[in-house]
Short mmCIF file of all heavy atoms in Angstrom, two decimals:
data_model
loop_
_atom_site.label_atom_id
_atom_site.label_comp_id
_atom_site.label_asym_id
_atom_site.label_seq_id
_atom_site.Cartn_x
_atom_site.Cartn_y
_atom_site.Cartn_z
N GLU A 1 45.76 98.70 -41.41
CA GLU A 1 44.41 98.97 -41.84
C GLU A 1 43.50 97.78 -41.44
O GLU A 1 43.73 96.67 -41.89
CB GLU A 1 44.33 99.15 -43.37
CG GLU A 1 45.02 100.41 -43.86
CD GLU A 1 44.35 101.70 -43.33
OE1 GLU A 1 43.13 101.64 -43.05
OE2 GLU A 1 45.10 102.70 -43.14
N ALA A 2 42.57 98.08 -40.58
CA ALA A 2 41.72 96.99 -40.12
C ALA A 2 40.90 96.49 -41.30
O ALA A 2 40.36 95.38 -41.21
CB ALA A 2 40.78 97.51 -39.00
N GLY A 3 40.76 97.31 -42.33
CA GLY A 3 40.08 96.96 -43.59
C GLY A 3 39.18 95.78 -43.51
O GLY A 3 39.61 94.66 -43.67
N GLU A 4 37.90 95.98 -43.32
CA GLU A 4 36.95 94.90 -43.30
C GLU A 4 36.95 94.12 -44.63
O GLU A 4 36.94 94.74 -45.67
CB GLU A 4 35.52 95.43 -43.05
CG GLU A 4 35.29 95.93 -41.64
CD GLU A 4 33.87 96.44 -41.49
OE1 GLU A 4 32.93 95.70 -41.85
OE2 GLU A 4 33.72 97.59 -41.02
N ASP A 5 36.93 92.84 -44.54
CA ASP A 5 36.78 92.00 -45.71
C ASP A 5 35.32 91.99 -46.03
O ASP A 5 34.47 91.58 -45.25
CB ASP A 5 37.31 90.57 -45.36
CG ASP A 5 37.23 89.64 -46.57
OD1 ASP A 5 36.19 89.61 -47.28
OD2 ASP A 5 38.23 88.96 -46.81
N GLU A 6 34.96 92.45 -47.25
CA GLU A 6 33.55 92.58 -47.62
C GLU A 6 32.81 91.27 -47.57
O GLU A 6 31.67 91.22 -47.14
CB GLU A 6 33.47 93.22 -48.99
CG GLU A 6 33.83 94.67 -49.05
CD GLU A 6 33.51 95.31 -50.40
OE1 GLU A 6 32.79 94.66 -51.22
OE2 GLU A 6 33.98 96.44 -50.64
N SER A 7 33.45 90.19 -47.94
CA SER A 7 32.78 88.91 -47.94
C SER A 7 32.50 88.45 -46.51
O SER A 7 31.42 87.88 -46.23
CB SER A 7 33.65 87.84 -48.65
OG SER A 7 34.87 87.59 -47.98
N ILE A 8 33.43 88.69 -45.60
CA ILE A 8 33.19 88.35 -44.18
C ILE A 8 32.10 89.20 -43.63
O ILE A 8 31.16 88.65 -42.94
CB ILE A 8 34.47 88.55 -43.35
CG1 ILE A 8 35.55 87.51 -43.72
CG2 ILE A 8 34.19 88.51 -41.85
CD1 ILE A 8 36.88 87.67 -43.06
N ASP A 9 32.08 90.48 -43.91
CA ASP A 9 31.01 91.38 -43.39
C ASP A 9 29.68 90.99 -43.98
O ASP A 9 28.66 90.96 -43.27
CB ASP A 9 31.36 92.83 -43.73
CG ASP A 9 30.41 93.79 -43.08
OD1 ASP A 9 30.32 93.74 -41.83
OD2 ASP A 9 29.75 94.56 -43.80
N ARG A 10 29.66 90.61 -45.24
CA ARG A 10 28.40 90.22 -45.87
C ARG A 10 27.84 88.93 -45.25
O ARG A 10 26.64 88.81 -44.97
CB ARG A 10 28.62 90.05 -47.39
CG ARG A 10 27.34 89.82 -48.19
CD ARG A 10 27.60 90.09 -49.69
NE ARG A 10 28.74 89.36 -50.18
CZ ARG A 10 29.91 89.95 -50.57
NH1 ARG A 10 30.03 91.28 -50.46
NH2 ARG A 10 30.89 89.22 -51.04
N THR A 11 28.76 87.99 -45.02
CA THR A 11 28.33 86.74 -44.46
C THR A 11 27.83 86.97 -43.02
O THR A 11 26.76 86.41 -42.59
CB THR A 11 29.51 85.73 -44.36
OG1 THR A 11 29.92 85.45 -45.71
CG2 THR A 11 29.09 84.43 -43.70
N ALA A 12 28.53 87.79 -42.24
CA ALA A 12 28.08 88.10 -40.88
C ALA A 12 26.73 88.75 -40.85
O ALA A 12 25.83 88.43 -40.06
CB ALA A 12 29.10 88.99 -40.18
N ALA A 13 26.48 89.64 -41.84
CA ALA A 13 25.18 90.32 -41.93
C ALA A 13 24.07 89.33 -42.22
O ALA A 13 22.98 89.42 -41.65
CB ALA A 13 25.26 91.41 -43.01
N GLU A 14 24.35 88.38 -43.13
CA GLU A 14 23.33 87.36 -43.47
C GLU A 14 23.01 86.49 -42.27
O GLU A 14 21.85 86.16 -42.03
CB GLU A 14 23.85 86.53 -44.64
CG GLU A 14 23.95 87.27 -45.98
CD GLU A 14 24.68 86.50 -47.02
OE1 GLU A 14 25.14 85.37 -46.74
OE2 GLU A 14 24.79 87.01 -48.18
N ILE A 15 24.03 86.12 -41.53
CA ILE A 15 23.84 85.25 -40.35
C ILE A 15 23.02 86.01 -39.31
O ILE A 15 22.05 85.44 -38.73
CB ILE A 15 25.20 84.79 -39.80
CG1 ILE A 15 25.86 83.83 -40.74
CG2 ILE A 15 25.02 84.14 -38.42
CD1 ILE A 15 27.31 83.48 -40.41
N LEU A 16 23.34 87.26 -39.07
CA LEU A 16 22.68 88.04 -38.06
C LEU A 16 21.18 88.20 -38.46
O LEU A 16 20.30 88.09 -37.58
CB LEU A 16 23.28 89.43 -37.90
CG LEU A 16 24.67 89.48 -37.24
CD1 LEU A 16 25.27 90.90 -37.33
CD2 LEU A 16 24.58 89.04 -35.79
N ALA A 17 20.94 88.45 -39.73
CA ALA A 17 19.55 88.60 -40.20
C ALA A 17 18.77 87.34 -39.99
O ALA A 17 17.59 87.36 -39.56
CB ALA A 17 19.52 89.06 -41.64
N ALA A 18 19.41 86.21 -40.26
CA ALA A 18 18.70 84.91 -40.09
C ALA A 18 18.39 84.67 -38.62
O ALA A 18 17.29 84.21 -38.28
CB ALA A 18 19.57 83.80 -40.67
N VAL A 19 19.34 84.93 -37.77
CA VAL A 19 19.11 84.69 -36.32
C VAL A 19 18.04 85.65 -35.82
O VAL A 19 17.20 85.25 -35.01
CB VAL A 19 20.42 84.83 -35.52
CG1 VAL A 19 20.20 84.79 -34.02
CG2 VAL A 19 21.43 83.73 -35.94
N ARG A 20 18.06 86.86 -36.29
CA ARG A 20 17.08 87.82 -35.85
C ARG A 20 15.65 87.42 -36.22
O ARG A 20 14.72 87.61 -35.42
CB ARG A 20 17.39 89.23 -36.42
CG ARG A 20 16.54 90.32 -35.84
CD ARG A 20 17.01 91.70 -36.29
NE ARG A 20 16.42 92.78 -35.48
CZ ARG A 20 16.81 94.01 -35.56
NH1 ARG A 20 17.74 94.38 -36.44
NH2 ARG A 20 16.21 94.93 -34.85
N THR A 21 15.48 86.85 -37.38
CA THR A 21 14.14 86.53 -37.86
C THR A 21 13.73 85.07 -37.54
O THR A 21 12.56 84.78 -37.33
CB THR A 21 14.04 86.73 -39.38
OG1 THR A 21 15.05 85.98 -40.03
CG2 THR A 21 14.21 88.19 -39.73
N GLN A 22 14.72 84.18 -37.47
CA GLN A 22 14.39 82.77 -37.28
C GLN A 22 14.77 82.21 -35.90
O GLN A 22 14.44 81.08 -35.59
CB GLN A 22 15.06 81.92 -38.38
CG GLN A 22 14.63 82.31 -39.79
CD GLN A 22 15.51 81.68 -40.86
OE1 GLN A 22 16.03 80.59 -40.70
NE2 GLN A 22 15.77 82.43 -41.92
N GLY A 23 15.52 82.99 -35.16
CA GLY A 23 15.82 82.61 -33.78
C GLY A 23 16.55 81.27 -33.64
O GLY A 23 17.52 80.99 -34.31
N ASP A 24 15.99 80.41 -32.75
CA ASP A 24 16.59 79.13 -32.44
C ASP A 24 16.86 78.28 -33.71
O ASP A 24 17.86 77.58 -33.78
CB ASP A 24 15.71 78.33 -31.49
CG ASP A 24 15.91 78.80 -30.02
OD1 ASP A 24 16.78 79.66 -29.79
OD2 ASP A 24 15.16 78.29 -29.15
N ALA A 25 15.94 78.32 -34.65
CA ALA A 25 16.08 77.48 -35.85
C ALA A 25 17.33 77.82 -36.61
O ALA A 25 18.10 76.99 -37.02
CB ALA A 25 14.84 77.63 -36.75
N ALA A 26 17.62 79.13 -36.76
CA ALA A 26 18.82 79.59 -37.44
C ALA A 26 20.07 79.22 -36.65
O ALA A 26 21.08 78.77 -37.19
CB ALA A 26 18.76 81.03 -37.73
N LEU A 27 19.97 79.38 -35.34
CA LEU A 27 21.12 79.09 -34.47
C LEU A 27 21.48 77.62 -34.55
O LEU A 27 22.64 77.24 -34.66
CB LEU A 27 20.76 79.48 -33.03
CG LEU A 27 21.91 79.63 -32.01
CD1 LEU A 27 22.94 80.60 -32.50
CD2 LEU A 27 21.35 80.10 -30.65
N LEU A 28 20.47 76.77 -34.54
CA LEU A 28 20.72 75.31 -34.69
C LEU A 28 21.32 74.97 -36.08
O LEU A 28 22.26 74.16 -36.13
CB LEU A 28 19.41 74.55 -34.53
CG LEU A 28 18.98 74.19 -33.11
CD1 LEU A 28 17.59 73.47 -33.18
CD2 LEU A 28 19.97 73.26 -32.44
N ASP A 29 20.79 75.61 -37.08
CA ASP A 29 21.27 75.32 -38.44
C ASP A 29 22.75 75.69 -38.62
O ASP A 29 23.54 74.93 -39.10
CB ASP A 29 20.40 76.05 -39.47
CG ASP A 29 20.93 75.86 -40.89
OD1 ASP A 29 21.10 74.66 -41.30
OD2 ASP A 29 21.17 76.90 -41.58
N TYR A 30 23.14 76.87 -38.13
CA TYR A 30 24.52 77.30 -38.28
C TYR A 30 25.44 76.47 -37.38
O TYR A 30 26.60 76.24 -37.75
CB TYR A 30 24.62 78.79 -37.91
CG TYR A 30 24.06 79.69 -38.95
CD1 TYR A 30 23.05 80.65 -38.66
CD2 TYR A 30 24.49 79.66 -40.27
CE1 TYR A 30 22.50 81.47 -39.63
CE2 TYR A 30 23.95 80.50 -41.25
CZ TYR A 30 22.96 81.39 -40.89
OH TYR A 30 22.42 82.21 -41.87
N THR A 31 24.97 76.07 -36.21
CA THR A 31 25.76 75.26 -35.33
C THR A 31 26.04 73.88 -35.95
O THR A 31 27.15 73.34 -35.88
CB THR A 31 25.10 75.09 -33.95
OG1 THR A 31 24.93 76.39 -33.36
CG2 THR A 31 25.93 74.23 -33.00
N ARG A 32 25.02 73.32 -36.60
CA ARG A 32 25.22 72.06 -37.35
C ARG A 32 26.21 72.24 -38.50
O ARG A 32 27.08 71.43 -38.72
CB ARG A 32 23.89 71.55 -37.89
CG ARG A 32 22.91 71.08 -36.82
CD ARG A 32 21.65 70.55 -37.49
NE ARG A 32 20.60 70.32 -36.53
CZ ARG A 32 19.39 70.82 -36.53
NH1 ARG A 32 19.02 71.65 -37.57
NH2 ARG A 32 18.48 70.55 -35.60
N ARG A 33 26.06 73.35 -39.22
CA ARG A 33 26.81 73.57 -40.41
C ARG A 33 28.26 73.91 -40.11
O ARG A 33 29.24 73.35 -40.74
CB ARG A 33 26.23 74.74 -41.21
CG ARG A 33 26.64 74.78 -42.66
CD ARG A 33 26.19 76.07 -43.40
NE ARG A 33 24.77 76.36 -43.20
CZ ARG A 33 24.16 77.41 -43.70
NH1 ARG A 33 24.89 78.31 -44.38
NH2 ARG A 33 22.90 77.64 -43.49
N PHE A 34 28.51 74.80 -39.16
CA PHE A 34 29.87 75.29 -38.92
C PHE A 34 30.63 74.51 -37.88
O PHE A 34 31.87 74.30 -37.96
CB PHE A 34 29.83 76.76 -38.49
CG PHE A 34 29.31 77.70 -39.55
CD1 PHE A 34 28.47 78.75 -39.22
CD2 PHE A 34 29.62 77.51 -40.90
CE1 PHE A 34 27.98 79.60 -40.17
CE2 PHE A 34 29.11 78.36 -41.86
CZ PHE A 34 28.32 79.39 -41.51
N ASP A 35 29.95 74.02 -36.85
CA ASP A 35 30.59 73.30 -35.77
C ASP A 35 30.39 71.79 -35.80
O ASP A 35 30.92 71.05 -35.00
CB ASP A 35 30.16 73.87 -34.38
CG ASP A 35 30.65 75.26 -34.16
OD1 ASP A 35 31.67 75.65 -34.77
OD2 ASP A 35 30.08 75.97 -33.32
N ARG A 36 29.55 71.36 -36.75
CA ARG A 36 29.29 69.93 -36.91
C ARG A 36 28.76 69.32 -35.64
O ARG A 36 29.11 68.22 -35.27
CB ARG A 36 30.58 69.22 -37.39
CG ARG A 36 31.13 69.72 -38.69
CD ARG A 36 32.51 69.27 -38.99
NE ARG A 36 33.49 69.64 -37.97
CZ ARG A 36 34.00 70.86 -37.84
NH1 ARG A 36 33.63 71.83 -38.71
NH2 ARG A 36 34.88 71.13 -36.88
N VAL A 37 27.89 70.06 -34.97
CA VAL A 37 27.21 69.65 -33.77
C VAL A 37 25.74 69.44 -34.05
O VAL A 37 25.05 70.37 -34.44
CB VAL A 37 27.42 70.62 -32.63
CG1 VAL A 37 26.62 70.20 -31.38
CG2 VAL A 37 28.89 70.74 -32.24
N GLN A 38 25.28 68.19 -33.84
CA GLN A 38 23.83 67.91 -34.08
C GLN A 38 23.09 68.02 -32.76
O GLN A 38 23.50 67.44 -31.74
CB GLN A 38 23.70 66.44 -34.64
CG GLN A 38 24.45 66.22 -35.94
CD GLN A 38 23.93 67.06 -37.04
OE1 GLN A 38 22.69 67.29 -37.20
NE2 GLN A 38 24.82 67.55 -37.91
N ALA A 39 22.04 68.77 -32.77
CA ALA A 39 21.22 68.95 -31.57
C ALA A 39 19.75 69.17 -31.97
O ALA A 39 19.52 69.78 -33.05
CB ALA A 39 21.71 70.12 -30.70
N ASP A 40 18.85 68.63 -31.19
CA ASP A 40 17.42 68.78 -31.53
C ASP A 40 16.87 70.13 -31.14
O ASP A 40 15.83 70.55 -31.66
CB ASP A 40 16.60 67.68 -30.84
CG ASP A 40 17.01 66.29 -31.32
OD1 ASP A 40 17.32 66.17 -32.52
OD2 ASP A 40 16.95 65.33 -30.54
N SER A 41 17.59 70.80 -30.23
CA SER A 41 17.10 72.09 -29.77
C SER A 41 18.28 72.88 -29.24
O SER A 41 19.31 72.37 -28.90
CB SER A 41 16.08 71.97 -28.67
OG SER A 41 16.66 71.40 -27.46
N VAL A 42 18.09 74.24 -29.17
CA VAL A 42 19.16 75.04 -28.56
C VAL A 42 19.27 74.77 -27.07
O VAL A 42 20.38 74.84 -26.50
CB VAL A 42 18.87 76.56 -28.81
CG1 VAL A 42 19.88 77.44 -28.10
CG2 VAL A 42 18.88 76.83 -30.31
N ALA A 43 18.16 74.37 -26.48
CA ALA A 43 18.20 74.02 -25.03
C ALA A 43 19.18 72.92 -24.78
O ALA A 43 19.87 72.83 -23.75
CB ALA A 43 16.81 73.66 -24.54
N ALA A 44 19.33 72.00 -25.78
CA ALA A 44 20.27 70.88 -25.65
C ALA A 44 21.70 71.34 -25.75
O ALA A 44 22.62 70.60 -25.40
CB ALA A 44 19.96 69.78 -26.70
N LEU A 45 21.93 72.58 -26.25
CA LEU A 45 23.28 73.12 -26.35
C LEU A 45 23.64 73.92 -25.15
O LEU A 45 24.79 74.39 -25.05
CB LEU A 45 23.35 74.03 -27.60
CG LEU A 45 23.14 73.35 -28.95
CD1 LEU A 45 23.10 74.38 -30.08
CD2 LEU A 45 24.31 72.37 -29.20
N GLU A 46 22.75 74.09 -24.20
CA GLU A 46 23.13 74.74 -22.96
C GLU A 46 23.98 73.75 -22.13
O GLU A 46 23.61 72.59 -21.98
CB GLU A 46 21.93 75.20 -22.15
CG GLU A 46 22.33 75.95 -20.90
CD GLU A 46 21.22 76.76 -20.24
OE1 GLU A 46 20.06 76.69 -20.77
OE2 GLU A 46 21.46 77.42 -19.26
N ILE A 47 25.09 74.25 -21.64
CA ILE A 47 26.07 73.35 -20.88
C ILE A 47 25.65 73.46 -19.42
O ILE A 47 25.73 74.55 -18.80
CB ILE A 47 27.49 73.83 -21.10
CG1 ILE A 47 27.79 73.92 -22.59
CG2 ILE A 47 28.49 72.89 -20.39
CD1 ILE A 47 29.11 74.59 -22.91
#
C-alpha cells in the first residue's frame, strides 16, 4: 500500500503553497532551513 503519510502530504502542500505565493523568498527560506545553505538570492543557488 503506497498509503500516503498524511503529515508528509500536509507538509508538502504547505511548502507548495508558500512557493506558489512567495516564490524566491520561500525557496530561499526552505533551502536555509532544510539544507542549511545560506544564500542571498536564488540566483546565487544556480550552479
Side-chain angles (χ1 to χ4, degrees):
E1 291 296 331
E4 288 180 51
D5 184 311
E6 288 187 13
S7 66
I8 290 176
D9 188 57
R10 188 163 52 250
T11 299
E14 291 170 358
I15 292 171
L16 290 173
V19 172
R20 188 171 194 172
T21 57
Q22 300 167 34
D24 279 356
L27 197 53
L28 274 177
D29 177 52
Y30 288 123
T31 301
R32 291 182 189 126
R33 197 188 313 176
F34 297 141
D35 291 338
R36 301 167 300 283
V37 174
Q38 301 297 320
D40 295 329
S41 67
V42 175
L45 295 173
E46 183 164 4
I47 307 171

